Amino acid sequence: MSNPSLPDLNRFGQIVFFTGAGLSAESGIPTYRGRGGIWREYAYEDYACQRAFEHNPEKVWDFHDKRRERVAACEPNEGHRIISEVLRAKPNSCVVTQNIDGLHQRCGVDAAKVIELHGSLWRVRCDREGRIIDNDQVPINPRTCACGAYWRPDIVWFEDMLDPKVLDRARQALAACDAIVSIGTSAVVYPAAELPCIAMSNGAVSIEINPEETPASHLYQFRIRKSASEALAMLWPPA
Ligand code: NAD
């Protein structure tokens, strides 16, 4: 390995890739925070919370249709590709992601191996009927379920709670893993931000990939200050 201080991750059988918006930045999807972050442009109170949806579902859907359009036009990048290959070689490994873009799955990762903490842009639910369906239309049409209620993006919006079942699956995966590779997350959104500590306190080797320092950086044994695709290619160099 070109950097002798990094561990050889081929030795580990159960890796959790803990991914955030920075992984998809190289695909052209803006991150939340930092330069180009979308919440500098849009107030979440008007577009991404339950109150906004109840007040003006059309406006919220206009915004989410734009996000669908933007994401649909992007492709998974080299970072997604390397993760997908590692998961194929190590069937007990998985992804725990804060991303809602579905790019891991579009890169060939089995949906069962992707734990989506904050939901998905590509699922909608009817809260009246308690039904969730996949939907990849751009734009979505119609915006209402057969029962007449508006579909709601199945996304954890600001002020929402995470689905306890999803959180539980993530906690179990992190408790069982022997290595955690955290990629492109600012580590400030809770409870997601505290999940990597479960793996660390169980003795997993821990690596943070982020061009910038984060509030959690000091917790990681290894820190790689590079973009996601560069760092992953360093950890898993092409054969
Ligand atoms: P964030 O926007 O708060 O932070 C992004 C992090 O990625 C930053 O620390 C930044 O330094 C780093 N980064 C930027 N470019 C990078 C690169 N090329 N390689 C590696 N790292 C890079 O994102 P977050 O921590 O995931 O959390 C915030 C919320 O953002 C989550 O709730 C998530 O649902 C949501 N989000 C998702 C998407 C998506 O699905 N692609 C996009 C934007 C926001």
Side-chain angles (χ1 to χ4, degrees):
M1 177 159 290
S2 59
N3 183 338
S5 64
L6 289 171
D8 176 4
L9 287 174
N10 292 315
R11 289 194 290 118
F12 299 91
Q14 214 160 330
I15 300 174
V16 169
F17 292 96
F18 185 77
T19 65
L23 173 65
S24 296
E26 289 170 84
S27 292
I29 301 174
T31 57
Y32 265 24
R33 293 170 189 79
R35 234 177 311 141
I38 60 170
W39 301 120
R40 289 194 170 185
E41 204 180 324
Y42 294 95
Y44 84 81
E45 296 90 338
D46 294 333
Y47 300 97
C49 68
Q50 187 64 27
R51 275 175 299 129
F53 182 66
E54 283 164 15
H55 176 66
N56 192 342
E58 288 290 328
K59 182 173 171 180
V60 169
W61 262 118
D62 287 345
F63 171 74
H64 283 80
D65 270 340
K66 267 198 214 139
R67 296 191 74 191
R68 282 178 166 225
E69 198 179 339
R70 174 85 189 248
V71 171
C74 295
E75 295 295 331
N77 63 56
E78 187 59 13
H80 293 102
R81 200 193 55 72
I82 293 171
I83 292 171
S84 174
E85 259 181 35
V86 174
L87 292 186
R88 249 193 299 276
K90 295 179 185 289
N92 292 326
S93 298
C94 73
V95 172
V96 175
T97 189
Q98 295 168 80
N99 293 346
I100 56 170
D101 56 32
L103 287 188
H104 286 294
Q105 294 91 323
R106 263 175 62 196
C107 198
V109 178
D110 181 351
K113 293 264 168 74
V114 186
I115 302 172
E116 295 175 307
L117 293 170
H118 295 161
S120 172
L121 197 50
W122 306 110
R123 276 194 314 269
V124 292
R125 66 177 199 243
C126 172
D127 282 340
R128 189 189 285 170
E129 292 188 340
R131 202 152 66 90
I132 301 179
I133 59 164
D134 292 330
N135 179 295
D136 60 3
Q137 289 176 315
V138 184
I140 185 170
N141 184 26
R143 287 177 169 178
T144 49
C145 168
C147 77
Y150 273 94
W151 289 116
R152 182 211 193 277
D154 192 28
I155 291 173
V156 177
W157 278 330
F158 289 87
E159 301 167 7
D160 285 349
M161 303 285 282
L162 271 66
D163 179 337
K165 288 200 195 91
V166 175
L167 200 49
D168 209 44
R169 277 183 67 211
R171 288 198 174 113
Q172 283 176 26
L174 285 154
C177 73
D178 51 16
I180 171 162
V181 184
S182 167
I183 307 164
T185 173
S186 56
V188 296
V189 178
Y190 282 81
E194 67 198 8
L195 293 177
C197 294
I198 298 174
M200 294 168 189
S201 58
N202 276 5
V205 69
S206 57
I207 300 174
E208 179 188 60
I209 296 174
N210 196 315
E212 290 173 26
E213 181 95 7
T214 75
S217 292
H218 66 284
L219 300 172
Y220 287 85
Q221 291 166 303
F222 302 92
R223 296 173 282 271
I224 310 180
R225 295 276 163 258
K226 290 184 184 294
S227 76
S229 62
E230 281 178 293
L232 286 164
M234 245 169 82
L235 291 169
W236 283 278

